[in-house]
């Protein structure tokens, strides 16, 4: 493990930020970037955009977010969106249900098929509302 760790460190030190390049040109359309990822990384025949995804693409493009990179949200169990299709499946398309923006983090993320995401945290932590009733000793504010 130590040799592997050192090999990773050596590889990182031997490369430069200038060596990094995206799979696609950041100046291409949102759809083009997503299609490139689907075909080149996952081996899909293409992708299908829902009406909602198309509306979101128009809105993000109008807002000037079309130059952001893409981070796909899909099952990790298959290159397709069907977790039961193991190995290197062929003959499939990737349905793009919606596209969300993480503008502060600097990327867009398409939601593929029935993929679910974890809800974000509130801006005000819930522990501010938790306390102990000193008369009864009961915890209050949990629910």
């Amino acid at each position: 493990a130590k040799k592997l760790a050192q090999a990773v460190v050596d590889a990182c030190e031997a490369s430069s930020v200038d060596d990094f390049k995206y799979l696609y040109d950041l100046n291409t359309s949102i759809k083009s970037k997503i299609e490139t990822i689907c075909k080149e990384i996952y081996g899909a025949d293409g992708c299908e955009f829902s009406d909602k995804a198309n509306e979101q693409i128009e809105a993000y493009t109008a807002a000037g977010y079309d130059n952001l990179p893409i981070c796909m949200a899909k099952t990790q169990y298959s290159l397709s969106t069907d977790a039961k299709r193991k190995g290197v499946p062929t003959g499939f398309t990737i349905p793009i249900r919606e596209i969300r923006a993480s503008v502060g983090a600097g990327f867009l993320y398409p939601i593929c098929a029935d993929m679910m995401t974890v809800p974000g945290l509130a801006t005000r932590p819930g522990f501010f509302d938790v306390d102990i009733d000193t008369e009864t000793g009961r915890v209050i504010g949990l629910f």
Side-chain angles (χ1 to χ4, degrees):
K2 192 173 182 179
K3 286 181 181 179
L4 174 60
Q6 188 58 52
V8 171
V9 169
D10 293 344
C12 290
E13 290 174 347
S15 65
S16 164
V17 174
D18 297 330
D19 295 337
F20 178 82
K21 67 177 185 173
Y22 287 94
L23 177 64
Y24 45 77
D25 181 346
L26 285 174
N27 295 316
T28 60
S29 70
I30 294 170
K31 272 190 177 183
S32 176
K33 287 184 260 194
I34 295 168
E35 288 168 348
T36 298
I37 293 169
C38 290
K39 291 177 181 177
E40 300 296 323
I41 300 297
Y42 303 127
D45 294 335
C47 51
E48 296 173 357
F49 295 88
S50 70
D51 291 341
K52 181 176 184 176
N54 282 320
E55 290 170 11
Q56 291 168 318
I57 287 170
E58 288 179 25
Y60 296 143
T61 300
Y65 302 143
D66 54 323
N67 64 339
L68 292 175
I70 304 294
C71 181
M72 304 291 281
K74 63 171 247 9
T75 182
Q76 71 271 25
Y77 298 114
S78 175
L79 291 171
S80 74
T81 54
D82 179 356
K84 295 176 185 159
R85 294 189 70 183
K86 304 296 183 194
V88 184
T90 58
F92 65 94
T93 58
I94 295 183
I96 308 299
R97 187 178 80 223
E98 66 179 287
I99 301 172
R100 298 182 187 165
S102 287
V103 178
F107 62 90
L108 301 175
Y109 60 106
I111 309 294
C112 302
D114 58 357
M115 185 70 188
M116 295 175 26
T117 58
V118 178
L121 298 174
T123 56
R124 184 174 183 272
F127 76 83
F128 283 124
D129 300 321
V130 177
D131 204 351
I132 295 179
D133 182 330
T134 56
E135 292 182 20
T136 65
R138 296 188 63 184
V139 176
I140 55 175
L142 285 178
F143 305 101

